[in-house]
Amino acid sequence: MTFSEWFDEFFETYCDGVLSYDCAVEYKIINKKHFRPIANMELESIKPIHVQRCLNTAKNYSTSRQRKVYFLLKRCLNEAVLNEYVTKNAAEKVKAPKKITKNFVPLTKTQLKQLFEEETPDILMFKLELWTGLRRGEILALKWENINFDEGYINVCQTLVNSKGNAIIRESTKSNKDRRVPLCDESRRILAAVQSADRKGYVFHNEKGEPLSFTVYHTHYKKFFRERQEKYPNIPYISSHKLRHTYATYILQSGGDIETLRCMLGHSNISTTSIYVHSSFEQMKAAANRLKFD
């Protein structure tokens, strides 16, 4: 059996309909772009040098992509071993590309104020992300019935996901657990501003009352950021996910603890939340100034 034949079987059994649609699509792209060096090779003929050649095809990509190429190939070959199509996993003898973590520098309070000084419907949506830490899919699936103004929280119980090229509402979150996200004064004000014009169905929707698609969302976000940078060139571009990252950073800098943050972000494992833990340079300077040896 060739690697290409096995990958098709592996994908159909372990990926398609098992993983998220976006993840499965990415795996197909990786196979097409990076596994060509071994596509027509017999499984038993694949050696560590051939695995390395696959990794070399990703050397001009991000370290994240390089690691995905490695771990997907390793998993694919491991399943071939378990299914007795091959006796050894050649990827076991190849080192994984090193993970490089860059420090996230959140926008300053002044930059955030400049970014959100106007309040169109789109900007209110992005601003709500910043003030609640909701995931993109959670914001797009948010309904008015999910918001309890009296007790001051959002019940996060569904999310928008891609499924076979179409966006659908999944009646659960990414972690498969509902959670309550508290509303602060500003997030209440943002929701009230949106509600003054629309009180039914989805909080953010298109003309048909349907959730905005991811494509529309990203188109609006890039347009919004481009316009703000034209007025304030000092604002560095951050992806929409970094609004959630910014929320987490400021929660911690405001005295919140990591376990509380884990619950607010909806992480199943605190190790995921630790990715959002950063100390600003000012915090580090303050810690250094408090240093004593007596």
Side-chain angles (χ1 to χ4, degrees):
M1 178 181 283
T2 66
F3 176 82
S4 180
E5 291 170 335
W6 166 243
F7 185 88
D8 289 344
E9 190 171 332
F10 161 81
F11 184 85
E12 181 181 353
T13 305
Y14 299 104
C15 305
D16 193 21
V18 178
L19 304 175
S20 70
Y21 175 79
D22 290 340
C23 185
V25 168
E26 185 175 23
Y27 282 2
K28 289 181 74 172
I29 292 172
I30 288 175
N31 175 52
K32 184 178 180 180
K33 285 189 174 183
H34 305 296
F35 296 162
R36 286 182 180 177
I38 60 175
N40 298 319
M41 292 183 65
E42 293 293 321
L43 286 172
E44 280 289 0
S45 300
I46 298 174
K47 301 183 183 305
I49 190 171
H50 302 125
V51 172
Q52 187 60 54
R53 285 173 183 168
C54 290
L55 297 184
N56 290 346
T57 67
K59 62 184 180 181
N60 293 325
Y61 288 76
S62 67
T63 55
S64 174
R65 166 59 74 87
Q66 292 174 35
R67 287 171 62 82
K68 285 179 181 178
V69 170
Y70 172 79
F71 286 111
L72 175 57
L73 182 53
K74 185 177 180 181
R75 165 81 192 284
C76 183
L77 293 176
N78 190 56
E79 293 297 344
V81 172
L82 293 176
N83 285 280
E84 300 181 350
Y85 286 113
V86 65
T87 56
K88 294 181 181 179
N89 184 345
E92 294 284 357
K93 295 186 178 181
V94 178
K95 291 183 179 180
K98 289 184 178 180
K99 185 176 182 179
I100 299 175
T101 304
K102 295 183 179 180
N103 286 332
F104 169 65
V105 180
L107 298 183
T108 65
K109 292 180 180 179
T110 297
Q111 289 171 331
L112 288 172
K113 186 175 180 180
Q114 293 171 339
L115 189 64
F116 292 108
E117 68 178 4
E118 297 178 9
E119 291 196 338
T120 65
D122 282 346
I123 294 177
L124 286 170
M125 176 171 62
F126 305 135
K127 195 170 186 178
L128 186 65
E129 283 189 78
L130 174 67
W131 283 90
T132 60
L134 295 187
R135 298 181 177 96
R136 175 191 55 185
E138 293 168 347
I139 279 283
L140 295 177
L142 186 62
K143 290 184 175 182
W144 288 112
E145 64 189 54
N146 304 139
I147 301 168
N148 189 320
F149 284 101
D150 293 335
E151 296 186 30
Y153 66 83
I154 295 174
N155 182 33
V156 185
C157 57
Q158 56 194 27
T159 187
L160 191 73
V161 297
N162 275 324
S163 177
K164 296 182 179 180
N166 297 313
I168 62 171
I169 298 294
R170 190 179 74 182
E171 299 300 325
S172 63
T173 64
K174 185 177 181 180
S175 60
N176 294 317
K177 291 182 179 179
D178 294 358
R179 72 183 190 280
R180 291 184 177 185
V181 174
L183 294 173
C184 62
D185 290 342
E186 180 60 12
S187 54
R188 279 175 178 272
R189 188 196 67 77
I190 294 168
L191 285 167
V194 177
Q195 193 182 48
S196 64
D198 195 342
R199 297 171 178 268
K200 296 181 180 179
Y202 295 99
V203 177
F204 303 103
H205 56 78
N206 60 23
E207 293 179 353
K208 296 180 181 180
E210 301 167 340
L212 298 176
S213 68
F214 290 115
T215 299
V216 169
Y217 170 92
H218 284 299
T219 299
H220 288 192
Y221 184 80
K222 290 178 181 178
K223 179 176 181 293
F224 149 70
F225 221 102
R226 183 172 63 251
E227 290 174 349
R228 302 317 299 157
Q229 285 183 315
E230 287 176 357
K231 184 173 182 180
Y232 298 108
N234 66 305
I235 302 178
Y237 178 82
I238 61 171
S239 67
S240 60
H241 180 72
K242 287 299 189 291
L243 295 177
R244 175 173 161 88
H245 208 137
T246 302
Y247 168 83
T249 301
Y250 276 92
I251 284 287
L252 291 173
Q253 291 183 3
S254 299
D257 62 87
I258 191 169
E259 174 57 22
T260 299
L261 179 61
R262 182 191 70 79
C263 294
M264 295 170 77
L265 294 178
H267 291 157
S268 299
N269 196 309
I270 202 165
S271 62
T272 305
T273 315
S274 66
I275 297 172
Y276 295 80
V277 178
H278 308 282
S279 291
S280 68
F281 186 65
E282 293 303 317
Q283 287 176 303
M284 290 189 285
K285 283 202 304 183
N289 288 333
R290 290 193 297 269
L291 178 64
K292 293 183 179 180
F293 290 103
D294 52 8

